[in-house]
Amino acid sequence: MAEQILDRIKQVVGPNGWLEQASDIEPYEIETRGLYRGKTALVVRPRSTEEVAAVVRLCAEAGLSIVPQGGNTGLCGGGVPSGDGRNIVLALGRMNKVRAIDPANFTITGEAGVVLADIQRIAAENDRLFPLSLGAEGSCQIGGNLSTNAGGVQVLRYGNTRELTLGLEVVLADGRIWNGLRTLRKDNTGYDLKQLFVGAEGTLGIITAATLRLFPKPRETVTALLALPDFDAVMQLFAEARAVTGDQLTAFELIERTGLDMALKHVNGITDPLNQPYEIYALVEVSTASPHGDAAAPLEELLEAALEAGTVVDGTIAASAAQRDAFWRIREGIVEGQRFEGGSIKHDIAVPVASVADFLKRAIAAVTERQPGIRPVAFGHCGDGNIHFNLSQPVGADKDAFLARWEEFNNIVHGIVAEFNGTISAEHGVGRLKRDELTHYKAPLELELMARVKKALDPRDIMNPGKVIAEVAFNALKAE
Amino acid sequence: MAEQILDRIKQVVGPNGWLEQASDIEPYEIETRGLYRGKTALVVRPRSTEEVAAVVRLCAEAGLSIVPQGGNTGLCGGGVPSGDGRNIVLALGRMNKVRAIDPANFTITGEAGVVLADIQRIAAENDRLFPLSLGAEGSCQIGGNLSTNAGGVQVLRYGNTRELTLGLEVVLADGRIWNGLRTLRKDNTGYDLKQLFVGAEGTLGIITAATLRLFPKPRETVTALLALPDFDAVMQLFAEARAVTGDQLTAFELIERTGLDMALKHVNGITDPLNQPYEIYALVEVSTASPHGDAAAPLEELLEAALEAGTVVDGTIAASAAQRDAFWRIREGIVEGQRFEGGSIKHDIAVPVASVADFLKRAIAAVTERQPGIRPVAFGHCGDGNIHFNLSQPVGADKDAFLARWEEFNNIVHGIVAEFNGTISAEHGVGRLKRDELTHYKAPLELELMARVKKALDPRDIMNPGKVIAEVAFNALKAE
């Protein structure tokens, strides 16, 4: 990398705006689960949109490629530089101003580096809700949430990050700034350009700020933990819950015994939630923003009717905020508990909601047949058809040998996903992890269309190269 | 137009698949409000996606351009062929099969030519709701709704057509078929390609089928008509209504006296809704899908609290379905009543929700200053910040002379919209009507990005040419 261009970039961002010592840079080079380790000569930390634009302009001139990075909590390696040291990392963390909050308009405008939890907090201080909520919310940044179209636990009611986005400010691949910071609910003046950048994982431009939708703050939230007789009952219960609550569900999460046992064993403060153990649970949450609304009655009614119908065999409604937190600790504790049980091969899949039970039965049978003793840990947002289908190694097996079979089990699980017309990445994105695998599950035409969009907006491939877009698709167009 | 290519197209669609007699063709050449009259040598009416693809392939080979058309109810001339007779019209009306309805998955898949009301009806027969609802629903087709990202009266709760779309099938500009008919709630495997085609008004490809989201069918719908003291009260009431109903509003529509008087005078079956006349009304609707939900109580509470706070001066809650229909007849009667009051210059604008009152005051003052006696008729979806701001001519003025000032008044109103960072087309789209005007309100960079997307997907500009994309922006890229 030419020293000269790096020096000019350093000048743009000033003395506190860059890092190049190996020890300073290291956290920016590592993927959070240890799947990837990249290498970069320079981490730039601009403080303003203008600085981002100036850096990108210099890179565009020099043909130097850029990896935008937020809180670096992504799970697919989308924010990690390549191993050859030929990317610079552009970290947005110093662009962390909330530019405006407008409770009357139900909007907030913040820079890419604002931590998600801060947006939630500022909304709440203004009697509003920003509903995006996920495990990493204390450190992930909204720019990363936007770039990966993050999901989380309240998608059911409020949508993915895409649906929460009203406007964007983006630095394009040539360093020009697109100011699309609209605060409108409706705007049909041509192509909806912001849709291009949401979920593009930084491959089409760098999101520097966004205007997001806010909602009335819930006044009451009621949570139930229900035990179910079998997988078939899960989605029956879901349909009943949508109907009886008047579609006011904010969460409908799957928990099953294997994961719960791991949480019970390894995570402090978790207790078995009902009087006896069950195999399958649904964590069901209803909230209301009305001061006179009643979130408890519909859940009570659901529980009673479902017990009678046999879709639920046992269950309890949280009697206090503490009990509610305890239910959620179980849900969140599954991920943590799994870490202590050796290697885990991950899947983040979605199938049509109506196919969740059939998928689970097929997939559990298939992986167990391939490897007796394997421990499938299925959990997550099944109200969206999205299951985190993780496979813990058999007890006592060799961790490395098990993890070496990552692709083998991906093929089994994703093959079944494909039969249900599902997706191999429901919410985590593509990044490096699934870029090449995607070529097996997406039609060539679809890969080509993605490459065409990429070529239209970043013809020299300097924005996060090697991510999302399969090289084969992009190269085919270069020859045109 | 070469006879030979037209003959080949006719062969593809068979004897009942095309029209060329002037009298048969005429309805396809006329814009519904009479703003445009186009000319075409051939109307093709394919019956399948494969036929659409074959027609497009032939056109692509010959460089013949295509205007896709649904129910031809659009208000911006997007579906009308050019005046030079050089487009063929591809009408989707014979592709009117509902391919699948899946109540358990809350999805319906239908072809582009299915009439919106039929989708609503089939959903209802399956105990589900398809919430898209607008004046033309008895004749508009879902392909047109998708291509214009239609809005309507329930956007507040359920979103625009974009938010209701899970998957699309599209015939691309080269005649290849993209099968993107997903039924998933979450899918982060790369760019969300369907977003490109929704709202593109047929300029990037022809939508031939879609998978749409369904919702639990409301069990109870309660509607109130409330009289307000002034415009400032409108959005105060809106915030109160969001809070007290727990964000369960399905409609929040503005009605004011001038429009109501026109409806009363000219439309049968409309009566003044309250005991005395008021200047400003809000039509507020709440629904619940829960069999035990209560939509009336929150509205009663809202009315009581707002009367006390002074944001409402009078009002009534519909006591029966008949009374509810009567309220909606007023709302829908405004458009009809206006037709009898001479020329009307239309605007379909949106501003940030918090700016609705200020916009209305500014805009009414400005047009009245320019033309004393002008009758502003402001109505519509103000809960989305979307106002249909129509200007009826002064009583007794010359209609043609008034309509000749269309651009003059557009400039005044849209200038004020721009000051509020609003949009000159909230839900009707761009088409031909607003294509050139858009160049004054959108940044050149934004027009360029739109043109880049167009060029990437339809490099030869055969898909609905002359619509949406300003010629100047597209031509600039052709030179590259």
Side-chain angles (χ1 to χ4, degrees):
Chain A
M1 226 182 267
E3 277 304 317
Q4 203 194 345
I5 178 78
L6 296 185
D7 284 343
R8 288 176 67 193
I9 290 171
K10 290 176 190 170
Q11 277 166 28
V12 164
V13 291
N16 297 317
W18 52 272
L19 304 166
E20 62 177 1
Q21 295 294 327
S23 57
D24 292 336
I25 280 183
E26 196 184 14
Y28 299 87
E29 295 177 327
I30 302 171
E31 193 267 343
T32 168
R33 292 199 291 218
L35 288 176
Y36 300 105
R37 172 158 200 142
K39 206 169 138 46
T40 187
L42 186 70
V43 174
V44 231
R45 302 173 68 232
R47 245 186 338 194
S48 69
T49 306
E50 289 67 30
E51 285 186 8
V52 174
V55 170
V56 174
R57 269 197 308 275
L58 286 169
C59 291
E61 280 171 28
L64 185 62
S65 56
I66 304 167
V67 180
Q69 193 179 95
N72 198 16
T73 63
L75 298 170
C76 295
V80 176
S82 59
D84 58 12
R86 294 176 65 153
N87 310 140
I88 67 162
V89 171
L90 194 149
L92 279 302
R94 290 211 304 167
M95 284 191 63
N96 60 359
K97 280 193 288 294
V98 170
R99 292 190 190 165
I101 171 142
D102 186 346
N105 199 42
F106 290 84
T107 51
I108 188 167
T109 300
E111 294 179 342
V114 182
V115 169
L116 173 54
D118 288 332
I119 296 188
Q120 295 168 346
R121 179 180 50 75
I122 291 164
E125 288 167 2
N126 286 272
D127 200 31
R128 293 290 178 260
L129 170 75
F130 182 63
L132 183 65
S133 175
L134 44 91
E137 62 195 25
S139 55
C140 66
Q141 297 168 12
I142 193 67
N145 299 142
L146 288 155
S147 291
T148 56
N149 185 29
V153 292
Q154 300 200 90
V155 171
L156 203 53
R157 172 86 157 269
Y158 299 100
N160 287 292
T161 306
R162 184 182 299 282
E163 282 80 41
L164 304 176
T165 308
L166 292 174
L168 291 181
E169 178 188 82
V170 179
V171 172
L172 302 174
D174 58 10
R176 289 185 295 174
I177 300 166
W178 172 51
N179 181 352
L181 285 175
R182 312 281 154 73
T183 60
L184 303 172
R185 258 65 186 174
K186 282 169 132 179
D187 182 9
N188 274 348
T189 51
Y191 307 157
D192 191 1
L193 295 170
K194 67 177 179 288
Q195 306 293 349
L196 289 168
F197 301 101
V198 175
E201 304 186 31
T203 60
L204 298 177
I206 301 172
I207 295 172
T208 49
T211 298
L212 304 161
R213 296 176 68 177
L214 300 177
F215 296 83
K217 188 157 81 172
R219 303 282 161 222
E220 187 188 14
T221 301
V222 180
T223 311
L225 195 80
L226 309 177
L228 286 79
D230 51 38
F231 284 129
D232 287 324
V234 177
M235 301 321 284
Q236 286 167 26
L237 180 68
F238 177 62
E240 288 165 21
R242 284 192 78 169
V244 80
T245 65
D247 225 12
Q248 295 305 290
L249 292 174
T250 49
F252 192 90
E253 300 278 314
L254 173 72
I255 295 171
E256 55 70 80
R257 194 71 220 170
T258 316
L260 173 53
D261 277 342
M262 291 177 184
L264 283 170
K265 190 169 167 194
H266 301 290
V267 185
N268 281 336
I270 291 184
T271 49
D272 216 334
L274 302 177
N275 290 328
Q276 63 178 93
Y278 295 94
E279 288 302 309
I280 304 168
Y281 301 84
L283 192 161
V284 185
E285 193 161 278
V286 176
S287 73
T288 173
S290 166
H292 304 268
D294 187 344
L299 265 188
E300 282 159 15
E301 193 187 311
L302 175 68
L303 177 54
E304 199 174 317
L307 278 167
E308 196 164 324
T311 38
V312 162
V313 290
D314 194 358
T316 182
I317 295 172
S320 63
Q323 200 179 0
R324 186 183 159 234
D325 289 348
F327 291 168
W328 277 105
R329 260 202 308 280
I330 294 171
R331 164 65 184 80
E332 303 297 345
I334 295 170
V335 183
E336 206 181 328
Q338 257 208 304
R339 290 203 193 106
F340 298 87
E341 291 287 335
S344 170
I345 296 173
K346 315 281 187 186
H347 305 87
D348 165 40
I349 67 94
V351 292
V353 171
S355 303
V356 165
D358 289 337
F359 164 78
L360 286 168
K361 287 185 278 185
R362 284 274 311 276
I364 289 170
V367 298
T368 308
E369 191 190 331
R370 178 67 58 98
Q371 177 58 64
I374 200 169
R375 294 171 294 166
V377 178
F379 65 98
H381 326 299
C382 67
D384 309 309
N386 178 193
I387 306 290
H388 298 308
F389 190 75
N390 294 348
L391 304 174
S392 278
Q393 64 175 61
V395 176
D398 180 75
K399 180 177 174 179
D400 290 337
F402 180 73
L403 287 180
R405 299 173 69 187
W406 190 291
E407 210 176 307
E408 176 190 347
F409 283 103
N410 277 185
N411 288 345
I412 295 172
V413 174
H414 291 164
I416 296 168
V417 166
E419 286 177 45
F420 287 104
N421 296 310
T423 175
I424 67 165
S425 185
E427 58 174 14
H428 295 165
V430 179
R432 276 164 74 170
L433 183 63
K434 296 181 182 172
R435 184 196 61 175
D436 295 330
E437 192 182 4
L438 215 54
T439 60
H440 304 301
Y441 296 100
K442 267 197 193 296
L445 178 56
E446 194 147 333
L447 297 169
E448 181 194 316
L449 285 173
M450 284 168 54
R452 282 194 189 280
V453 171
K454 168 79 172 171
K455 193 184 169 199
L457 293 183
D458 178 23
R460 298 176 63 194
D461 196 19
I462 69 162
M463 298 306 311
N464 212 5
K467 314 289 167 60
V468 184
I469 305 291
E471 238 162 308
V472 52
F474 198 53
N475 287 340
L477 292 191
K478 278 183 186 154
E480 266 187 8
Chain B
M1 225 184 267
E3 277 305 315
Q4 202 193 345
I5 178 78
L6 296 186
D7 283 342
R8 289 175 66 194
I9 291 171
K10 290 176 192 171
Q11 277 166 28
V12 164
V13 291
N16 296 317
W18 52 273
L19 305 167
E20 62 178 0
Q21 294 295 326
S23 57
D24 293 336
I25 281 184
E26 195 185 14
Y28 299 86
E29 295 177 327
I30 302 170
E31 192 268 343
T32 168
R33 291 199 291 218
L35 287 176
Y36 301 104
R37 172 160 200 141
K39 206 169 140 41
T40 188
L42 186 70
V43 173
V44 228
R45 302 172 68 234
R47 244 187 338 195
S48 69
T49 306
E50 289 67 30
E51 284 186 8
V52 174
V55 170
V56 174
R57 269 197 307 276
L58 287 170
C59 290
E61 279 169 29
L64 185 60
S65 56
I66 302 165
V67 180
Q69 193 179 96
N72 199 16
T73 62
L75 297 171
C76 296
V80 176
S82 59
D84 59 11
R86 296 175 65 152
N87 311 139
I88 67 162
V89 171
L90 192 151
L92 279 302
R94 290 211 304 167
M95 283 190 65
N96 58 359
K97 280 192 287 295
V98 169
R99 293 190 189 162
I101 172 143
D102 186 346
N105 199 40
F106 291 83
T107 51
I108 188 168
T109 299
E111 294 179 341
V114 183
V115 170
L116 172 54
D118 288 332
I119 295 187
Q120 295 168 347
R121 179 181 49 77
I122 291 164
E125 287 166 4
N126 286 272
D127 200 32
R128 294 289 177 260
L129 171 74
F130 183 63
L132 184 64
S133 175
L134 43 91
E137 62 196 26
S139 56
C140 65
Q141 296 169 11
I142 194 67
N145 300 142
L146 288 154
S147 290
T148 55
N149 184 29
V153 292
Q154 299 200 93
V155 171
L156 203 55
R157 172 85 157 270
Y158 299 100
N160 288 291
T161 306
R162 184 182 299 283
E163 283 79 41
L164 303 176
T165 308
L166 292 174
L168 291 181
E169 178 188 84
V170 179
V171 172
L172 302 174
D174 58 9
R176 289 185 295 176
I177 299 166
W178 172 50
N179 181 354
L181 285 176
R182 314 281 154 73
T183 61
L184 304 172
R185 259 64 187 174
K186 282 169 132 180
D187 182 9
N188 275 348
T189 50
Y191 307 159
D192 192 0
L193 296 170
K194 68 176 179 288
Q195 306 292 349
L196 289 169
F197 301 101
V198 175
E201 303 184 33
T203 60
L204 298 177
I206 300 173
I207 295 172
T208 49
T211 298
L212 304 161
R213 297 175 67 178
L214 300 177
F215 296 83
K217 188 157 81 170
R219 302 282 162 222
E220 186 188 16
T221 301
V222 181
T223 311
L225 195 79
L226 308 178
L228 287 79
D230 51 37
F231 284 129
D232 287 324
V234 177
M235 302 320 284
Q236 285 166 27
L237 180 69
F238 176 62
E240 287 164 22
R242 284 192 80 167
V244 81
T245 64
D247 226 11
Q248 294 306 290
L249 292 174
T250 48
F252 191 88
E253 298 280 314
L254 173 71
I255 295 171
E256 54 71 79
R257 194 71 221 170
T258 316
L260 173 52
D261 277 342
M262 291 177 183
L264 283 170
K265 190 170 166 192
H266 301 291
V267 185
N268 281 336
I270 290 184
T271 49
D272 216 336
L274 302 177
N275 290 328
Q276 62 177 95
Y278 295 95
E279 289 301 309
I280 304 168
Y281 302 84
L283 192 161
V284 185
E285 192 161 280
V286 176
S287 74
T288 174
S290 167
H292 303 270
D294 187 343
L299 265 188
E300 283 158 16
E301 194 187 311
L302 175 68
L303 178 54
E304 199 174 317
L307 279 168
E308 196 165 326
T311 37
V312 161
V313 291
D314 195 358
T316 184
I317 295 171
S320 63
Q323 200 180 359
R324 186 184 158 234
D325 290 347
F327 292 168
W328 277 105
R329 260 202 309 280
I330 294 172
R331 164 65 183 80
E332 303 296 346
I334 295 170
V335 182
E336 206 181 329
Q338 257 208 306
R339 289 202 194 108
F340 297 87
E341 292 287 334
S344 170
I345 296 172
K346 315 280 188 187
H347 305 87
D348 165 39
I349 67 95
V351 292
V353 171
S355 303
V356 165
D358 289 338
F359 163 78
L360 286 168
K361 288 186 278 183
R362 285 274 310 277
I364 290 171
V367 298
T368 308
E369 192 191 331
R370 178 66 59 97
Q371 176 58 63
I374 200 169
R375 292 170 296 165
V377 178
F379 65 97
H381 326 298
C382 67
D384 308 308
N386 179 192
I387 306 290
H388 298 308
F389 190 74
N390 293 349
L391 303 173
S392 277
Q393 64 174 62
V395 176
D398 180 75
K399 181 177 173 180
D400 289 337
F402 180 72
L403 288 179
R405 298 172 71 186
W406 190 291
E407 212 178 304
E408 176 190 346
F409 282 103
N410 278 184
N411 288 345
I412 294 171
V413 173
H414 292 165
I416 296 167
V417 166
E419 287 177 44
F420 286 105
N421 295 310
T423 175
I424 67 165
S425 185
E427 60 174 12
H428 295 164
V430 178
R432 276 164 74 170
L433 184 64
K434 295 181 182 171
R435 184 196 61 175
D436 295 330
E437 191 183 3
L438 215 54
T439 59
H440 304 301
Y441 296 101
K442 267 198 193 295
L445 177 56
E446 194 147 331
L447 297 169
E448 181 193 317
L449 286 172
M450 284 167 54
R452 282 193 189 281
V453 171
K454 168 79 172 170
K455 193 184 169 197
L457 293 183
D458 179 22
R460 296 177 63 196
D461 196 18
I462 70 161
M463 298 306 312
N464 212 3
K467 314 287 168 59
V468 185
I469 305 289
E471 238 163 306
V472 53
F474 198 53
N475 288 340
L477 293 190
K478 279 184 185 154
E480 265 186 8

